[in-house]
Amino acid sequence: MPPPDAPAGTLPRASAVGIGWRHAHYAALLEQRPTLDFIEVHSENFMAEGGAALALLQQARAHYPVSLHGVGLALGSAVGIDAAHLERLAALVARIEPVRVSDHACFARAPRVDDGPVLHAADLLPIPFHRAALDVLCTNVQRVQDRLQRPLLVENLSAYWVWASSEQHEADFLAALAQRTGCQLLVDVNNLYVNALNEQISGLPGDPLARTTQWLDRIPPAAVGELHLAGHCRVPDPGDGSGEIVIDDHGSRVADPVWQLYRHAAQRFGAVPALVEWDTDLPPLAVLLDEAATARRIGAEAGVGAPATHLEPEAHP
C-alpha cells in the first residue's frame, strides 16, 4: 500500500487535492490512474466483510491514499453511537489504513416513544448550537476517536432549517468541539455558501459571500484538516412552491463564488487537503479531474503548495 500523505493526527502535506470516487468512475480511475493526491469514498459503501466493492477499494488503495467519509455515525445524536456501525467502521479502517476518517456534525438517531429500537432518519439533520448539544457531540466524537485510535474530522452541514434554541455561532460551536476533543474540522465551503444563499432568500440582510468569509475567519486555522468543494443548484421551495431553495446536490461544477471562498480558505488555513465532490448527474471522469486541477491551481496561487508530481505513490519499503 502507498504511504498516507501524513501520519495520523498531523496536518497532511501541502497541495493535496483529491476527488470523490463514485461507482460510475470505478473502472476509469483504475484504468487511467490519473494524477491525484488521494481519493475519497463513502465509508458505508464498503463495510461488508468482503465482496466486489471492498476488493475494488483495496485495489485502488494500492495506487492512492484513501479518505473515508461517512454519513452514518450521526455524531450529534443524544442516544449515542450505534455500536455495530462503529465496529464495522473500525474494521474498514484497519483494512484500508485511510489517510483521514470523517463524518458530519448532525443527528439521525432518536429513541422511539414505545421503547422499541432506536430510529434512524437516514438523513443528516442539523443540531442546535448550544452547550447541551456540544456535550453530546463531544462525547460521541471522543468515543469514535477512542475506538479508531486516531483523530476524526467533523464536517459542517448544509442545513435547511435551524434551531431557535441555538446560542452560539456555528463556527464557534465547531471550534469548541475541536478544542475539547482534539478532532479536526472538515470545512465544506460549498455547504457554507449554500446556507448563506438560503439565509438571503429567507430575508437575512447582507452579502452571502461576505457572510461565508466571516464564518471562515472565525475558525482557528489549526483546527482545519480538510476542505470540501462541490456544486449546488436552485430548486422550487418544497413548502408552497412559490419560492426557491438552494441545495448542495453535488451535481455540477463548483460555482465561481465557491472558488473565491476556497481561495480565501486556502490563504487562511494553509496546506490542508481539498476534495472535489460530485455525486449526482456524474460527468465523465475528465470533468472531475479538470475541477481538481482548478483546485490545485487556486491552492498554488494562494501559496499553499505545488502540483503533484506522481501518478502512483511509492509503496512501503
Side-chain angles (χ1 to χ4, degrees):
M1 287 187 178
D5 56 4
T10 67
L11 284 176
R13 62 186 172 85
S15 74
V17 174
I19 62 170
W21 191 41
R22 306 301 181 244
H23 186 274
H25 297 145
Y26 282 0
L29 184 97
L30 292 174
E31 291 169 2
Q32 300 173 24
R33 295 184 192 171
T35 301
L36 291 165
D37 294 295
F38 68 100
I39 58 173
E40 181 205 81
V41 298
H42 289 149
S43 308
E44 287 78 10
N45 292 336
F46 300 92
M47 284 186 174
E49 288 296 321
L54 183 59
L56 275 171
L57 181 58
Q58 290 172 318
Q59 185 178 350
R61 181 64 181 89
H63 305 292
Y64 298 99
V66 171
S67 178
L68 295 177
H69 186 53
V71 295
L73 282 174
L75 293 166
S77 301
V79 294
I81 299 293
D82 183 308
H85 186 98
L86 180 55
E87 287 307 309
R88 289 192 293 270
L89 176 60
L92 180 61
V93 168
R95 288 191 185 101
I96 299 302
E97 299 178 3
V99 65
R100 284 172 295 281
V101 181
S102 58
D103 211 300
H104 299 78
C106 70
F107 84 95
R109 288 163 46 78
R112 297 172 61 103
V113 295
D114 59 1
D115 294 327
V118 171
L119 296 172
H120 198 293
D123 203 348
L124 307 177
L125 302 176
I127 56 179
F129 305 130
H130 57 50
R131 182 179 297 275
L134 180 60
D135 289 343
V136 167
L137 187 59
C138 288
T139 297
N140 291 337
V141 167
Q142 193 61 60
R143 179 181 175 190
V144 173
Q145 293 185 143
D146 288 346
R147 178 63 184 89
L148 300 184
Q149 289 296 293
R150 61 161 66 210
L152 185 69
L153 276 73
V154 180
E155 179 181 345
N156 57 289
L157 290 188
S158 55
Y160 305 104
W161 50 277
V162 295
W163 291 83
S165 59
S166 290
E167 303 166 345
Q168 291 180 277
H169 189 282
E170 181 184 23
D172 299 338
F173 180 90
L174 293 175
L177 167 70
Q179 182 179 33
R180 283 178 54 176
T181 65
C183 76
Q184 290 192 297
L185 303 180
L186 194 169
V187 175
D188 190 310
V189 181
N190 184 64
N191 285 356
L192 295 175
Y193 189 60
V194 164
N195 290 346
L197 288 174
N198 285 325
E199 289 169 349
Q200 182 186 54
I201 290 171
S202 68
L204 189 68
D207 173 45
L209 197 63
R211 187 177 301 118
T212 306
T213 301
Q214 292 164 3
W215 193 106
L216 293 168
D217 288 345
R218 296 179 81 127
I219 293 291
V224 178
E226 188 173 336
L227 300 171
H228 270 192
L229 303 161
H232 59 262
C233 69
R234 294 175 181 262
V235 299
D237 191 325
D240 58 14
S242 62
E244 64 178 8
I245 189 171
V246 184
I247 60 171
D248 65 319
D249 65 335
H250 300 179
S252 59
R253 287 184 179 268
V254 177
D256 287 343
V258 177
W259 284 127
Q260 293 180 52
L261 291 164
Y262 171 58
R263 183 183 301 275
H264 179 81
Q267 291 170 338
R268 173 165 176 77
F269 302 132
V272 297
L275 178 92
V276 178
E277 295 183 288
W278 203 315
D279 295 304
T280 62
D281 295 325
L282 282 162
L285 179 61
V287 176
L288 200 51
L289 295 175
D290 186 60
E291 292 288 271
T294 300
R296 191 180 304 286
R297 174 180 57 78
I298 290 174
E301 291 171 356
V304 297
T309 58
H310 63 279
L311 288 177
E312 296 184 33
E314 295 180 0
H316 283 307

